[in-house]
Amino acid sequence: MAAATTEIRWHGRGGQGAKTAAIFLAEAVLDQGKHSQGFPEYGPERRGAPVRGFTRISDAPIRLHCSIAEPDYVIVLDPTLLDSTSAGVPDGASADTVFLINTVESPANIRKRLGIKGGKVHTVDASLIAQESFGRPIPNMPMIGALAAVADVITLENLVASLVVRFKKKFSQAVIDGNVTAVERAYKELVSE
Amino acid sequence: MKQIYVGLTGNEAVATAFKQARPHVAPAFPITPQTEMMHKFADFVADGAVDTEMILVESEHSAMSAAIGSAATGARTFTATSSAGFALMWEVVYIAASLRLPICMPVVNRALSGNINIHNDHSDAMGGRDAGWIQLWCENTQEAYDHALMCWRIAEHKDVRLPVMINYDGFIISHTSESLHILPDEDAWKFIGPKDLKTGYSLLDMDHPITVGPLDLTDYYFEHKVSQIEALKRAPKYIAEVYKEFGQLTGRHYSFFEEYRTDDADLVIVALGSTAGTAKDVIDAQREKGVKVGLLKIHMFRPFPAVELAKALSKAKVVGVMDKSASFGGWGGPLFNEIRSALYDLPARPKIHNWIYGLGGRDTDTKQIVALIEQLQAIAKGREAETVNLLGVRL
């Protein structure tokens, strides 16, 4: 491969915005001149069913058209997925994989529960932040804010700018402001080891 | 011309290209994973971005029938389908080509039932390979967008006048947002241009009434089939011209097939669609280890560029053809059969083997392609191997 590609895997449940997050992030990084790919894994489309999303980001054109088996970042939108074997949260993680978990628990607890030895674990209560910021516990946007704090794929400024532009087409100013607040809070409130 | 850098799914990209083509008519019927393409196009119509007359029909058979009626009047017409929808329109798919109507149709490739599977393989389009349509295949959203612009120039060329099927992989391309460059509307329109309605005949030309699709028995049917055969033989010349002009305009150069690191390759993989991209990454990694492997990716499967392909593959020692569809009871997949036949007249033929892969959307990852290359290496060293093999399946 010509240039390093960052591979991100999203784990959520139907309705939490894993697909939206995977694609939103892919499109948001384009403003920084990056190449990207964002795609969900399609199965039975049921609210509440485990859903995975995938984002690839690179400085070079991306040619891979397969699932992400060995992610650089694993982002979990729903902490109940940590106990689900079929959700496969730790699958394919290497010693360098970084975990971002939406939970009230500490990184140390999550590390124990997932049985992760290497890598890094960060936690943030994204559902609470979302609830307080825009009145619905949809954690996907704050989790992208948390990612911006630990990954060199998008700056907080670019993320916020992109969010404002893309949300303008669909949402009221109040919803946009709430999401910006949520992204900024998660960026700051992320708990690291 | 300044192109616009955007992130779009394959379906959104193709809908954008079709908006830029300003078609007169689009009959539509939903089927996963195509639905989103027509949905996006319907958004453009509803927003007034394009004034296409949409006809919401009751089945794919009706979609193609309506497209035929529309195109026979001279109107620029498209529809789109996938899988079982394509199978349902079967009868009329042949008629569109027989009547030499320049309809464009994305087939967003999906497995055929049963059992029910919404994911990607190439079974749908491969079943239609003898229907008389031009078939073009795309690796990513960029190529899907580009071909959705170019197809009009090919289909409507006065010496071609054939329907064009644009194939892109369901979900893997159709539902994946990828970064790509699109043309500004005005530049796209300048390239495609208005449809020349002066075909010399039209179903609605009351002063010069014609009959379309009459009974055609032992007296002339055969001659009419030959005219279709001849039209498809002529098509490559014009497809090459359109590719060339598009390359000059955009910097994206296409040909009947793309050769990737094949110059000195002993081993060559042949593939269609999105897997070609994954294979390129694997080939780069294998090249660093000194493995002389390359890829030949086919854009134009119908008409089949047999002579050019044979020449391109003549220097290889082993050719591995990847088929994302099974030909039940046949000897290998459809792509394999075509390639193998094309090589027959070479004075010295490479060894050629087939791998059936990815049926029903089974993920084709880099490990599978590495395994395929290892098998090609072993065959090059003289190991006996089956003619037809399987990749990525539990046995």
Side-chain angles (χ1 to χ4, degrees), chain B residues 180-291:
Chain B
L180 75 156
H181 289 92
I182 64 171
L183 275 59
D185 285 353
E186 282 310 312
D187 293 285
W189 177 246
K190 248 185 263 169
F191 173 76
I192 301 169
K195 182 169 188 299
D196 176 12
L197 294 172
K198 296 191 207 87
T199 49
Y201 55 86
S202 164
L203 201 56
L204 294 184
D205 184 352
M206 297 305 173
D207 297 329
H208 305 92
I210 54 163
T211 301
V212 174
L215 195 65
D216 193 13
L217 300 177
T218 48
D219 49 357
Y220 271 109
Y221 178 90
F222 198 169
E223 283 72 20
H224 289 143
K225 290 299 118 179
V226 171
S227 87
Q228 274 183 264
I229 293 169
E230 292 301 319
L232 273 156
K233 275 191 198 163
R234 280 196 299 275
K237 181 180 163 207
Y238 302 107
I239 294 172
E241 279 180 15
V242 172
Y243 274 162
K244 190 174 174 196
E245 193 186 323
F246 189 80
Q248 286 164 347
L249 178 70
T250 63
R252 293 190 292 280
H253 300 277
Y254 293 99
S255 45
F256 301 155
F257 47 85
E258 177 189 341
E259 293 174 87
Y260 186 75
R261 305 192 79 164
T262 52
D263 273 354
D264 62 339
D266 295 329
L267 319 173
V268 177
I269 297 170
V270 181
L272 290 166
S274 65
T275 301
T278 309
K280 286 175 188 172
D281 267 22
V282 175
I283 285 166
D284 283 0
Q286 292 286 313
R287 281 276 176 179
E288 280 179 28
K289 292 179 188 166
V291 182

Side-chain angles (χ1 to χ4, degrees), chain B residues 10 68 117 121 125 158 172 202 228 244 250 253 258 307 313 318 329 349 351 353 384:
Chain B
I68 288 168
N117 181 304
D121 68 33
K158 67 179 174 51
I172 301 170
S202 164
Q228 274 183 264
K244 190 174 174 196
T250 63
H253 300 277
E258 177 189 341
V307 174
L313 292 169
V318 187
R349 289 189 292 273
K351 288 181 180 173
H353 294 261
E384 291 292 315

Side-chain angles (χ1 to χ4, degrees), chain A residues 65-143:
Chain A
H65 282 116
C66 49
S67 179
I68 294 174
E70 293 163 3
D72 300 302
Y73 294 88
V74 174
I75 303 179
V76 180
L77 302 182
D78 190 319
T80 64
L81 291 171
L82 299 174
D83 302 320
S84 159
T85 315
S86 62
V89 170
D91 288 359
S94 73
D96 298 318
T97 301
V98 176
F99 290 81
L100 272 84
I101 317 286
N102 170 26
T103 175
V104 294
E105 290 184 50
S106 69
N109 270 0
I110 297 295
R111 183 177 280 284
K112 209 183 293 169
R113 278 177 64 183
L114 282 177
I116 305 165
K117 298 218 166 57
K120 283 215 164 61
V121 180
H122 307 273
T123 60
V124 62
D125 193 352
S127 297
L128 180 72
I129 290 173
Q131 182 70 45
E132 290 179 357
S133 304
F134 53 89
R136 294 179 70 192
I138 299 174
N140 59 351
M141 285 300 144
M143 287 308 281

